[in-house]
Amino acid sequence: MTERLLLASIHDVGPKFEREVDVLAARLERLLGGPRFAMLVVADHWGEAPLSASPAYARRLRDWADAGVEMFVHGWCHRDAAPAGFAARHMTAGEGEFAALDRAEALKRMTRARAVVEDATGRPAAGFIAPAWLYSDGTRAALADAGFALAEDHFRVWNPDNCAALTRGPVITWASRSRWRRLSSRFVAGAARTALGGQRVIRVAVHPGDTREPSILNSIDATIGRFARSHRPGRYAELAGHGNDLATSLATPPSLATPRSQ
């Protein structure tokens, strides 16, 4: 695979953040020249916004999917019941749903969420991406049981069936939960616009909370605008079959890791 790809995604999609997702979708369409991005759908965000009880929003998801937007399963409720470890306690504000689950519970939640998302969109899910990109060992094992074609964490996209990496490199994302997170994520995004230009695949992820911060929206515009000039806006599905070529050609600068929390 010699063509450079830009993979953009909107996280936390669902009725709970309808307005914010609309803002982000319109922005990405403008920056990318169409609905050339992925949506990460939560089945019942925080237990407050069940997608299954919102047929109007399900129709909107189906329209987006029909237009070419890839739909990923992004967990059942997004929130963890009992935060475990530093990342879940301090980096995600308790939203690492799959950070500490055993295999059976992870598979149960994946399966339930997948059914809701696929029923809404009318097509198979593109893959599974855990909230905050945090996976317990049990969750990683459950991915193969669930039969998802793709999974993603902060530093790679892989095939859950054989664990083959399809691309490597940090996701460029932003955090809005505190002033220092906003400052640091904007700094990292600015550095990434220079440091990651040589990568074959660039991944950019935006969140509903980004819409509340004009400085972050400006940084998103600058980052996606820069990479859209050198990389073709594409689909995660295009990585399938090219994992070996991509994995050997991409670097993973750990210094560009961005705070995961909103």
Side-chain angles (χ1 to χ4, degrees), residues 1 59 78 90 102 107 126 138 157 167 170 177 200 250 252 256:
M1 181 177 181
R59 284 194 297 272
H78 204 278
H90 300 288
D102 62 30
L107 180 60
V157 179
T167 188
R177 188 159 56 92
R200 296 267 182 91
L250 301 179
T252 307
L256 292 177

Side-chain angles (χ1 to χ4, degrees), residues 43-171:
D44 184 5
H45 208 126
W46 299 353
E48 299 172 354
L51 177 57
S52 59
S54 181
Y57 201 79
R59 284 194 297 272
R60 298 203 62 199
L61 290 180
R62 185 167 297 209
D63 288 343
W64 271 315
D66 289 345
V69 174
E70 288 182 291
M71 296 289 174
F72 283 81
V73 177
H74 193 43
W76 177 256
C77 66
H78 204 278
R79 176 169 287 175
D80 53 60
F86 176 85
R89 290 197 309 271
H90 300 288
M91 298 182 71
T92 72
E95 298 208 37
E97 181 184 2
F98 287 80
L101 297 182
D102 62 30
R103 185 172 186 167
E105 181 62 22
L107 180 60
K108 176 183 175 182
R109 295 192 188 198
M110 286 178 191
T111 303
R112 292 175 63 202
R114 183 178 194 166
V116 170
V117 173
E118 292 184 345
D119 183 63
T121 63
R123 64 188 65 223
F128 176 86
I129 300 174
W133 295 285
L134 293 175
Y135 298 78
S136 65
D137 291 341
T139 297
R140 293 181 185 277
L143 279 169
D145 301 335
F148 286 105
L150 294 171
E152 176 188 77
D153 64 19
H154 199 74
F155 289 106
R156 65 174 181 144
V157 179
W158 76 95
N159 179 339
D161 186 53
N162 57 19
C163 296
L166 304 178
T167 188
R168 296 185 186 274
V171 177

Side-chain angles (χ1 to χ4, degrees), residues 190-259:
R193 293 196 289 270
T194 299
L196 302 184
Q199 288 197 169
R200 296 267 182 91
V201 178
I202 298 293
R203 292 180 292 146
V204 178
V206 297
H207 293 77
D210 297 340
T211 64
R212 297 188 290 270
E213 297 294 334
S215 63
I216 289 181
L217 290 175
N218 290 338
S219 181
I220 290 170
D221 288 353
T223 301
I224 294 180
R226 180 263 178 266
F227 287 117
R229 293 192 295 272
S230 59
H231 293 66
R232 177 177 61 81
R235 295 166 58 84
Y236 278 80
E238 296 180 64
L239 299 178
H242 302 293
N244 291 337
D245 294 339
L246 287 167
T248 57
S249 65
L250 301 179
T252 307
S255 62
L256 292 177
T258 303

